């Protein structure tokens, strides 16, 4: 970005506020300034649900006790029917087994641990994965070993982590018919609830000629959900960004039939730069520091480019921005300041990746447009999947 471009962007909002917020984020302290921002955000909340979620996240941020979020009444959480089943079966203190030791299995084990659910074992047909999973220290057993120990594991909840329905269905069939596990104790299709189709789109009503910016495309599904949300009204265009190389290739193939969709192989941030990126071909791919890359011995680490939306989409008409980019939302909003100031788009922003996001991200967009209204909706059974809606 040239010096003239940078100077031009400064004219679209106060950098003083942004600098204070950046300092707060780096300090990690809920100081007086944070409380001032929190009061400002609370005054702009749109409904009672948003206030309940805001209060729960504030208490969680202050104490680290996820119970303030998991204890929210069902009417304050947007859970689809599949998710509700998980909430009922996986309460704090319960036990489960996860089928599959891949990325999804490890991710679920991490989530369940935070939620207070004990993972007794992974199940994997590859004997080389056991007897103990290297990444988590959790026992790994085969279906044969499971069959031999039905009295020990048979009444637990079984989570199938495979995202391909045909594969998950085949695993479920073997567990029921060959091992004798009660079907009511098996939960498959885990990604059906992780990517609730209503998430990002169930708060707003589509208007004519929507133009969508998808930051964090992953597998392209959100773009199709957007098209479905628009329905018969149709849409004008989609601008989609995905930095993970494998996810990008997947999305390029998936989105080709959709039409009116441009896909960019970049991350989104405040400026155009190169950064280290943990590329795991999953939803958790994210920008990391050099220190973190060194800890990983640069295994699975890519060097990617980030761009500012103001530069790539300069002069474009934008009506709706969605951001779910694993903690990089704040910087991406700074890089979209001009677009937001000029277009005043509605937005759906994930605010759970960092403890302060539900306050600092809201305060930042209010600095751009003080008349924005804010709403929060929660789509997860733990502290993840809180989305901020801005209109």
């Amino acid at each position: 970005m040239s010096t003239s471009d940078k100077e031009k962007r400064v004219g679209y909002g106060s950098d003083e506020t942004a600098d204070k917020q950046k300092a707060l984020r780096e300090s990690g302290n809920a100081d007086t300034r944070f409380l001032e921002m929190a009061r400002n955000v609370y005054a702009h909340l749109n409904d009672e649900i948003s206030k309940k979620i805001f209060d729960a996240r504030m208490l969680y941020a202050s104490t680290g006790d996820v119970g303030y979020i998991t204890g929210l009444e069902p009417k304050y959480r947007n859970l689809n029917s599949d998710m509700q089943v998980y909430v009922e079966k996986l309460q704090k203190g319960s036990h489960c087994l996860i089928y599959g030791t891949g990325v999804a299995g490890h991710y679920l084990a991490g989530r369940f641990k935070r939620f207070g659910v004990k993972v007794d074992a992974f199940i994997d047909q590859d004997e080389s994965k056991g007897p103990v999973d290297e990444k988590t220290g959790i026992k790994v057993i085969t279906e044969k070993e499971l069959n031999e120990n039905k009295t020990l594991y048979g009444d637990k909840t079984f989570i199938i982590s495979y995202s391909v329905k045909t594969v998950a269905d085949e695993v479920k069939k073997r567990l029921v018919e060959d091992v004798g596990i009660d079907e009511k104790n098996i939960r498959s299709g885990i990604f059906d609830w992780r990517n609730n189709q209503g998430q990002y789109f169930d708060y707003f009503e589509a208007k004519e000629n929507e133009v969508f910016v998808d930051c964090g495309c992953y597998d392209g599904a959100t773009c199709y959900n957007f098209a479905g949300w628009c329905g018969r009204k149709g849409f004008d265009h989609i601008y989609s960004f995905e930095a993970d190389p494998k996810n990008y290739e997947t999305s390029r193939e998936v989105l080709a039939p959709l039409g009116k969709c441009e896909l960019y192989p970049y991350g989104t941030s405040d400026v155009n730069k190169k950064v280290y990126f943990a590329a795991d071909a999953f939803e958790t791919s994210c920008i990391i520091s050099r220190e973190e890359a060194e800890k990983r011995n640069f295994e699975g680490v890519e060097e990617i480019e980030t761009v500012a939306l103001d530069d790539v989409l300069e002069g474009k008409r934008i009506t709706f921005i969605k951001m779910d980019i694993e903690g990089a939302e704040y910087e991406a909003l700074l890089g979209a300041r001009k677009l937001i100031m000029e277009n005043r788009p509605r937005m759906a922003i994930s605010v759970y990746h960092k403890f302060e996001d539900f306050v600092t991200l809201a305060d930042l967009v209010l600095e751009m447009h003080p008349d924005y209204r804010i709403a929060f909706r929660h789509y997860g059974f733990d502290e993840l999947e809180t989305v901020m809606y801005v209109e």
Side-chain angles (χ1 to χ4, degrees), residues 7 15 79 84 90 94 135 153 165 167 197 204 213 216 236 256 272 310 312 322 384:
E7 290 173 349
D15 277 345
L79 303 181
Q84 190 61 45
L90 296 175
S94 62
K135 291 188 176 182
Y153 299 117
K165 188 176 186 304
V167 176
Q197 291 186 358
F204 299 128
V213 178
D236 275 4
N272 304 337
D310 281 347
V312 178
K322 166 257 175 180
L384 308 186

Side-chain angles (χ1 to χ4, degrees), residues 46-111:
N46 221 22
D47 55 23
E48 186 65 20
I49 295 175
S50 300
K51 292 177 182 178
K52 288 289 185 180
I53 295 172
F54 183 93
D55 289 344
R57 293 216 69 95
M58 180 66 80
L59 289 167
Y60 168 61
S62 302
T63 66
D65 184 355
V66 72
Y68 287 110
I69 296 177
T70 60
L72 282 168
E73 296 178 52
K75 63 182 179 180
Y76 298 124
R77 293 194 280 176
N78 287 35
L79 303 181
N80 63 21
S81 57
D82 291 334
M83 173 71 91
Q84 190 61 45
V85 171
Y86 279 86
V87 172
E88 293 170 357
K89 293 293 292 186
L90 296 175
Q91 296 291 338
K92 185 176 181 180
S94 62
H95 292 249
C96 74
L97 288 84
I98 297 176
Y99 200 112
T101 57
V103 173
H106 289 143
Y107 181 72
L108 289 172
R111 284 189 81 178

Side-chain angles (χ1 to χ4, degrees), residues 20-21 24 29-43 54 58-59 61-62 355-356 358-360 363:
K20 287 180 180 178
Q21 292 171 331
L24 169 65
N29 295 320
D31 58 6
T32 302
R33 174 59 184 144
F34 182 80
L35 295 177
E36 290 175 357
M37 286 191 282
R39 284 192 288 269
N40 179 46
V41 173
Y42 194 84
F54 183 93
M58 180 66 80
L59 289 167
S62 302
F355 88 90
E356 72 275 21
F358 73 106
V359 170
T360 57
D363 189 71

Side-chain angles (χ1 to χ4, degrees), residues 143-181:
E143 285 183 20
K144 179 182 177 181
E145 291 172 310
L146 173 62
N147 203 359
E148 294 170 349
N149 292 276
K150 279 190 293 185
T151 56
L152 181 61
Y153 299 117
D155 61 344
K156 304 293 192 300
T157 298
F158 291 77
I159 308 295
I160 300 174
S161 67
Y162 300 139
S163 60
V164 179
K165 188 176 186 304
T166 54
V167 176
D169 287 346
E170 179 58 33
V171 170
K172 183 176 180 179
K173 181 180 179 181
R174 291 203 307 271
L175 290 177
V176 173
E177 297 181 0
D178 299 343
V179 183
I181 302 300

